[in-house]
């Protein structure tokens, strides 16, 4: 973070400073275990514990300042605020304002029901070749995680890439008001978190917030293949840069588009087009759906005036999308495991199953799908899990292992769809699934492990994958 005095931080967050006007020279943290000398610690109440309990630990680690929601007994410089989360966002906004004034900061915001983290990582790989780049750790994209990413920048930062997630309508608007993105990327509107939002139309309204406040000198990077994202063009004053799988109309062509998409166990191939030019794309990342994420990242690079061929080459160096996202593991014995159990929605589940089916047919290997629950679907849950089971049959997955009560509809639907019943099994938990897999996997099998994080299958994928 920028070097700031405690009095400046108090003014930025609307708080009251107690104690001396200390200077903060380190990072801002909400976890006392991550505090470093000269840093600031935000003590905030949480769902599990209260950050105020860990003030002493933060001070022992060298915190120069504490931001708290009540006066502290410790004799330490601290700023008292009404709401720690609001204060964190206010400080992030001030830091971005100062860095913009002092340097050449470009802010890129990324949202969508699927693909945010992969696209963020792709942008990091492209942009870091052109200047100091800051992007989120893991999937820090909410009202706490996004400001924490913003607070990592300093005067030298050239690019700031932000994931912007939402639990309710209005969340993305609050994040964009902090960061004021120069480019806003919308990947897809799907059923991820639809239960929390109350339906896909509310999800659409939430994702539209990314582009609504962009000005005429900004760029909205939009997925032309998604009907709901396509409609966002009418909600923004920004210049539109389209990406997709078709060249688009002559009067408003797609900026970048892909053809000849092919998914293999060695990676993903496509041809990238811009006008009359074309380049081969070779990703080491598995799954043809990642071509759309690559297109989004490359469209940002193109809008920034960066060399497209160099950007494509940067994507080719990425070993994986992210930990537990279509992560290829080779445990030995001729078995391949694809661990994709960090997140799951109906769209990403369908994409992963189609990729598994295509890759294994091409390689003449047996496909095994180990599927758990997709979370946060609300009243759509039974229908969408049923749909996944039927899709597994239709794309001809060879063996289906369904794990957990919340996912049982996948197994039930697969049994009903055809005579697939003898090739599908339901088990109660990951331990039973592991025992079944270890006794039945054969050399040459390709195993996809896919679920929401809450289903707890990522560790199963690691164990089967030999990690």
């Amino acid at each position: 973070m920028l070097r700031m005095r405690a009095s400046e931080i108090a003014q930025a967050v609307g708080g009251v400073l107690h104690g001396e006007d200390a200077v903060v020279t380190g990072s801002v943290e909400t976890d006392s275990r991550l505090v470093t000398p000269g840093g600031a610690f935000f003590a905030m109440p949480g769902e599990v514990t209260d950050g105020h309990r860990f003030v002493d630990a933060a001070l022992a680690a060298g915190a120069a300042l504490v931001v708290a929601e009540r006066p502290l007994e410790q004799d330490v410089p601290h700023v008292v605020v009404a709401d720690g989360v609001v204060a964190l966002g206010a400080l992030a906004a001030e830091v971005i304002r100062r860095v913009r004034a002092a340097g050449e900061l470009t802010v890129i915001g990324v949202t969508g029901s699927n693909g945010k983290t992969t696209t963020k990582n792709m942008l990091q790989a492209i942009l870091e070749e052109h200047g100091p780049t800051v992007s989120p750790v893991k999937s820090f994209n909410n009202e706490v995680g996004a400001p924490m990413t913003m607070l990592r920048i300093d005067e030298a930062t050239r690019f700031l890439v932000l994931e912007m997630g939402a639990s309710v309508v209005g969340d993305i608007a609050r994040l964009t008001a902090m960061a004021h993105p120069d480019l806003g990327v919308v990947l897809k509107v799907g059923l991820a978190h639809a239960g929390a939002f109350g339906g896909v139309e509310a999800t659409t309204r939430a994702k539209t917030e990314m582009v609504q406040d962009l000005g005429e000198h900004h760029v909205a990077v939009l997925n032309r293949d998604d009907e709901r994202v396509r409609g966002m063009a009418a909600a923004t004053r920004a210049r539109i840069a389209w990406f997709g799988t078709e060249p688009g109309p002559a009067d408003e062509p797609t900026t970048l588009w892909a053809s000849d998409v092919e998914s293999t166990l060695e990676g993903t191939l496509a041809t990238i087009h811009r006008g009359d030019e074309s380049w081969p794309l070779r990703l080491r990342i598995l799954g043809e759906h990642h071509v759309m994420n690559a297109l989004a990242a490359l469209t940002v690079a193109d809008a920034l005036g960066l060399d497209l061929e160099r950007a494509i080459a940067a994507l080719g160096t990425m070993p994986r999308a992210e930990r537990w996202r279509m992560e290829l593991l080779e445990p030995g014995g001729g078995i391949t495991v694809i661990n994709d159990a960090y997140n799951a929605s109906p769209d990403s589940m369908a994409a992963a199953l189609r990729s598994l089916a295509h890759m294994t047919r091409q390689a003449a290997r047996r496909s095994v799908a180990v599927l758990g629950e997709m979370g946060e679907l609300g009243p759509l849950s039974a229908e969408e899990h049923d749909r996944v089971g039927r899709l597994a049959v239709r794309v001809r997955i060879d063996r289906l292992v369904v794990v957990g009560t919340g996912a049982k509809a996948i197994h039930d639907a697969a049994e009903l769809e055809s005579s697939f019943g003898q090739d599908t099994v339901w088990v109660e938990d990951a331990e039973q699934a592991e025992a079944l897999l270890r006794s039945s996997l054969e050399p040459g099998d390709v195993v996809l492990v896919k679920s929401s994080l809450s289903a707890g299958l990522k560790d199963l994928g690691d164990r089967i994958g030999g990690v």
Side-chain angles (χ1 to χ4, degrees):
M1 194 190 87
L2 294 177
R3 179 187 178 97
M4 292 180 68
R5 301 199 71 87
S7 57
E8 295 176 301
I9 292 173
Q11 183 176 7
V13 303
V16 177
L17 174 61
H18 297 255
E20 66 180 270
D21 193 7
V23 179
V24 175
T25 59
S27 64
V28 174
E29 304 293 348
T30 58
D31 185 334
S32 63
R33 296 168 295 183
L34 302 178
V35 170
T36 56
F41 174 59
F42 270 68
M44 300 185 295
E47 294 180 2
V48 178
T49 188
D50 187 337
H52 295 83
R53 295 174 52 198
F54 301 98
V55 169
D56 287 336
L59 297 176
L65 178 71
V66 176
V67 178
E69 294 187 359
R70 56 178 180 263
L72 301 178
E73 296 179 357
Q74 294 89 336
D75 183 18
V76 57
H78 61 282
V79 175
V80 178
V81 297
D83 187 310
V85 173
V86 173
L88 188 70
L91 180 58
E94 175 63 12
V95 167
I96 286 181
R97 186 192 69 78
R98 291 186 178 209
V99 173
R100 279 190 190 277
E104 298 182 0
L105 180 67
T106 297
V107 180
I108 301 107
V110 181
T111 195
S113 298
N114 305 107
K116 293 186 294 296
T117 299
T118 300
T119 304
K120 171 263 295 186
N121 289 340
M122 289 178 166
L123 284 166
Q124 176 75 39
I126 292 169
L127 297 175
E128 66 187 2
E129 295 189 350
H130 299 273
T133 302
V134 172
S135 64
V137 176
K138 298 181 180 178
S139 296
F140 280 17
N141 61 26
N142 62 11
E143 61 185 355
V144 173
M148 291 294 291
T149 301
M150 299 176 202
L151 288 167
R152 289 170 47 210
I153 67 174
D154 58 26
E155 293 95 334
T157 305
R158 178 68 180 85
F159 301 104
L160 171 61
V161 182
L162 296 168
E163 280 190 55
M164 294 189 176
S167 298
V168 295
V169 173
D171 282 353
I172 293 174
R174 282 186 282 276
L175 297 179
T176 58
M178 293 177 204
H180 298 290
D182 300 286
L183 298 95
V185 182
V186 186
L187 300 167
K188 186 178 183 62
V189 174
L191 291 174
H193 316 299
F197 278 108
V200 71
E201 295 308 320
T203 305
T204 303
R205 290 196 300 274
K207 303 305 181 186
T208 303
E209 293 168 7
M210 172 62 76
V211 301
Q212 283 179 323
D213 290 334
L214 296 179
E216 294 177 358
H217 56 295
H218 296 147
V219 182
V221 178
L222 302 180
N223 178 0
R224 175 167 258 150
D225 287 13
D226 188 300
E227 180 181 3
R228 293 184 175 89
V229 176
R230 199 162 61 241
M232 295 179 190
T236 185
R237 296 172 294 153
R239 174 171 69 86
I240 307 297
W242 298 104
F243 65 94
T245 56
E246 298 290 341
D251 61 337
E252 193 179 25
T254 304
T255 307
L256 293 181
W257 60 283
S259 66
D260 308 316
V261 178
E262 183 179 358
S263 185
T264 74
L265 285 169
E266 288 71 46
T268 308
L269 309 176
T271 301
I272 304 298
H273 304 272
R274 181 183 64 188
D276 295 330
E277 301 174 282
S278 61
W279 301 266
L281 173 70
R282 296 181 176 88
L283 300 175
R284 295 162 67 185
I285 300 170
L286 302 183
E288 63 182 40
H289 50 295
H290 288 305
V291 170
M292 293 301 288
N293 301 327
L295 279 170
L298 292 169
T299 304
V300 169
D302 188 60
L304 292 172
L306 305 182
D307 182 80
L308 202 55
E309 189 169 4
R310 184 178 176 183
I312 291 170
L315 296 185
T317 67
M318 296 178 63
R320 61 187 180 193
E322 177 77 23
R323 186 83 165 92
W324 302 301
R325 287 176 170 86
M326 294 297 282
E327 183 177 12
L328 185 67
L329 303 173
E330 300 282 0
I335 294 169
T336 297
V337 175
I338 302 170
N339 194 350
D340 194 25
Y342 192 84
N343 212 341
S345 69
D347 289 331
S348 68
M349 186 74 83
L353 286 172
R354 290 191 178 100
S355 292
L356 174 66
H358 179 78
M359 290 185 291
T360 50
R361 276 199 298 272
Q362 185 185 60
R365 298 174 65 174
R366 187 172 75 145
S367 56
V368 180
V370 182
L371 307 181
E373 183 178 10
M374 302 177 288
E376 300 184 67
L377 292 176
L380 299 173
S381 182
E383 176 185 349
E384 293 303 325
H385 283 87
D386 180 281
R387 197 188 306 274
V388 167
R390 296 180 189 277
L391 177 65
V393 176
R394 292 167 186 169
V395 300
R396 293 179 296 181
I397 299 300
D398 294 311
R399 181 159 174 76
L400 185 61
V401 178
V402 181
V403 186
T405 303
K408 190 171 185 296
I410 297 175
H411 166 73
D412 294 341
E415 280 194 318
L416 291 170
E417 182 67 14
S418 69
S419 59
F420 195 72
Q422 67 269 24
D423 295 311
T424 181
V425 62
W426 173 79
V427 296
E428 290 184 353
D429 54 38
E431 288 70 27
Q432 291 183 23
E434 182 175 0
L436 175 66
L437 291 166
R438 292 198 182 281
S439 67
S440 62
L441 289 180
E442 302 171 357
D445 285 353
V446 180
V447 185
L448 169 71
V449 182
K450 177 73 173 170
S451 72
S452 289
L453 184 62
S454 58
L457 297 194
K458 68 178 180 64
D459 295 330
L460 169 65
D462 278 352
R463 292 194 298 270
I464 295 298
V467 176

